[in-house]
Amino acid sequence: MKPNCTVLAGLLALTAVPASAQLDKLKLSDTVQSIKFAGDLRLRNDVSAKRGAGQNNRGRLRYRLRFGPEIELPENLTAIIRLGSGTGEQVSTNQSYDNLGAQKAIWLDLMYLRWKPMLNDDAMTSLHAGRMQNPLWRTYSSDVVWDDDFNPEGFGESIEWVLPGPDMSVFANGLQAVADEDSNSGKNQWVFSSQFGVEKTLPLESRLRVAGAYHKWSDENRSSFGQVTVQDGNRRLTNGSLAARFGVGEVTGQLSSWIGSVPLAFQATVIRNFGQVHNDNIQGPIGRDGYQAGLIIGSAKAKGQWEAAYFKKYSQIDSTVADVADSDFGDGGTNRVGHIAWIAYAPRDWMVLKVKGFVTDALDRSFPTVAGVTPNAGTNLDKAINRLQMDLSIKF
Ligand SMILES: [Ca+2]
Ligand SMILES: [Ca+2]
Ligand SMILES: [Ca+2]
């Protein structure tokens, strides 16, 4: 009887301690100025209908977890760490319900240092190094070039100046990322991006933000990138390396406005691969252009809010590097044209319900549209893919 009482008394004593006092016992090193944990969790039903030889319809129940700390250090330095679910792909942290409940892996999704020096009262500067969030400014339509899940490994720089006078700011972003390192080559493969943009306040509380960028890949034809996921599109050599060269020019922009109290955002991105010219590896149409354009009405960011959106996307075979482009359009990648639409509703500040549909088709059927499949097989050239995603997302 007596030992039980002791345990009970101990438990009562523990629960009687206020939460704040328990937190006081959390020991942090003197270097840590503050620490913030955040994350998100998404449950998805992903259904795709595929037409074409060798193509199967699929229905996948999937989840995504991302979670980690932002650790504020001295001297305006922050360490950002995030773990993510998935299968280690460069363009997704999705994991399917699969293999009789087998344990699923956790990956390093972000791990970088951010330095925000105070250089000027009218300028915001930040420098990044590590495996980081893409430092380039992007809208939804920018995923014709960059999948939102792609976290480059290298260096990033961002600066934005507020100009005196006409409600205007200018900004510049840089990215120098290692695409791949190989033991048999002293030279890494890289991507170098430079972006310059401007934001201007317009009448009727409208705003226009536009940026031009150039994404230059180097040694992209030397070998493959050793990437986990090879996406559709892009001509490739038998060793898996890209056949075309890539120097992609991009103009991306957003015009935000209002209909009464409902926000409205027009977005468009236009790309051309200026690196793409005829060479020994490139026969047939050169295939170097792409765009995505559309609008989002409303904004499902707080309790009771909704949004609806429509976009048209068009991406020729070598318009950009397929393996870092949006992974949800068709099976992901390039050489595809189609429509994207969604509606979303936020029943709580921290919860969003979303239904998103894709109606797509292969753009040029004379090319292999399935990664790694040669065209002369006569299969896989007809590749219409329609897709429906139903999401429940929680932010915490
Ligand atoms: Ca993705
Ligand atoms: Ca490698
Ligand atoms: Ca390589």
Side-chain angles (χ1 to χ4, degrees):
M1 190 71 194
K2 203 179 176 197
N4 281 347
C5 282
T6 316
V7 170
L8 194 66
L11 280 174
L12 281 173
L14 202 66
T15 50
V17 178
S20 57
Q22 290 181 32
L23 265 183
D24 284 347
K25 291 185 181 160
L26 187 67
K27 295 272 191 295
L28 295 176
S29 94
D30 292 343
T31 323
V32 174
Q33 309 297 296
S34 73
I35 187 162
K36 184 180 104 184
F37 278 96
D40 61 85
L41 181 159
R42 183 176 71 196
L43 302 175
R44 166 173 287 179
N45 186 12
D46 191 334
V47 183
S48 41
K50 303 183 181 187
R51 205 178 64 230
Q55 294 296 299
N56 292 315
N57 292 343
R58 283 188 96 175
R60 289 180 289 179
L61 288 167
R62 318 192 83 188
Y63 57 83
R64 176 178 83 175
L65 170 70
R66 300 183 299 184
F67 177 71
E70 273 196 29
I71 305 157
E72 197 191 331
L73 305 170
E75 321 259 351
N76 302 319
L77 205 59
T78 307
I80 296 153
I81 298 163
R82 188 171 72 188
L83 304 177
S85 55
T87 53
E89 295 175 87
Q90 73 277 13
V91 283
S92 178
T93 42
N94 283 326
Q95 171 69 60
S96 296
Y97 294 16
D98 205 5
N99 298 337
L100 195 59
Q103 300 275 349
K104 303 302 189 290
I106 282 285
W107 303 85
L108 196 54
D109 194 34
L110 293 175
M111 193 290 311
Y112 68 106
L113 282 174
R114 181 181 68 204
W115 185 45
K116 285 190 164 178
M118 290 302 296
L119 299 180
N120 185 303
D121 285 349
D122 296 321
M124 281 217 323
T125 314
S126 65
L127 303 176
H128 317 102
R131 178 183 172 82
M132 63 197 157
Q133 216 131 34
N134 194 333
L136 304 170
W137 175 67
R138 287 160 301 133
T139 66
Y140 175 80
S141 68
S142 313
D143 76 7
V144 68
V145 183
W146 302 110
D147 188 290
D148 197 40
D149 300 311
F150 175 65
N151 298 320
E153 297 174 326
F155 308 94
E157 309 81 27
S158 293
I159 185 161
E160 180 146 7
W161 293 273
V162 177
L163 298 184
D167 291 328
M168 199 162 115
S169 61
V170 291
F171 60 94
N173 298 306
L175 167 69
Q176 304 83 38
V178 172
D180 191 31
E181 186 275 339
D182 289 320
S183 59
N184 60 1
S185 167
K187 231 176 154 189
N188 288 355
Q189 295 166 293
W190 288 79
V191 54
F192 302 96
S193 289
S194 311
Q195 182 182 53
F196 299 93
V198 61
E199 179 163 340
K200 175 91 183 82
T201 304
L202 302 174
L204 305 171
E205 290 182 59
S206 299
R207 295 178 81 74
L208 179 68
R209 191 171 166 96
V210 185
Y214 191 62
H215 315 294
K216 178 77 187 84
W217 293 75
S218 87
D219 292 296
E220 68 273 36
N221 308 121
R222 179 192 298 269
S223 60
S224 86
F225 296 129
Q227 63 274 53
V228 167
T229 298
V230 177
Q231 301 211 94
D232 289 355
N234 283 174
R235 280 168 275 215
R236 295 175 205 260
L237 306 179
T238 45
N239 69 357
S241 76
L242 296 168
R245 301 226 61 189
F246 287 87
V248 180
E250 177 198 14
V251 177
T252 194
Q254 169 169 291
L255 175 65
S256 334
S257 193
W258 299 87
I259 315 176
S261 61
V262 178
L264 196 64
F266 292 93
Q267 296 179 353
T269 299
V270 178
I271 56 172
R272 167 166 284 186
N273 178 10
F274 293 101
Q276 167 65 310
V277 290
H278 281 290
N279 65 35
D280 290 348
N281 300 323
I282 305 296
Q283 277 97 39
I286 205 157
R288 63 177 183 174
D289 292 323
Y291 69 83
Q292 183 167 194
L295 81 164
I296 304 171
I297 302 169
S299 171
K301 292 215 169 71
K303 184 180 173 176
Q305 291 181 344
W306 59 272
E307 72 182 45
Y310 168 77
F311 282 85
K312 168 95 187 276
K313 186 186 280 193
Y314 173 96
S315 179
Q316 290 184 334
I317 188 156
D318 283 321
S319 60
T320 187
V321 173
D323 297 334
V324 293
D326 176 24
S327 62
D328 292 337
F329 192 58
D331 279 339
T334 62
N335 195 23
R336 191 153 289 277
V337 59
H339 310 275
I340 305 163
W342 73 83
I343 49 171
Y345 174 72
R348 297 286 183 273
D349 285 342
W350 40 270
M351 182 191 287
V352 176
L353 303 169
K354 187 172 183 180
V355 178
K356 187 174 184 181
F358 302 77
V359 176
T360 77
D361 206 344
L363 190 55
D364 189 329
R365 288 156 192 258
S366 65
F367 289 113
T369 50
V370 176
V373 174
T374 48
N376 59 10
T379 58
N380 294 312
L381 298 184
D382 174 12
K383 208 186 176 199
I385 299 178
N386 299 331
R387 195 163 180 172
L388 192 67
Q389 296 173 335
M390 285 149 278
D391 294 351
L392 164 65
S393 305
I394 302 282
K395 263 194 182 151
F396 52 87

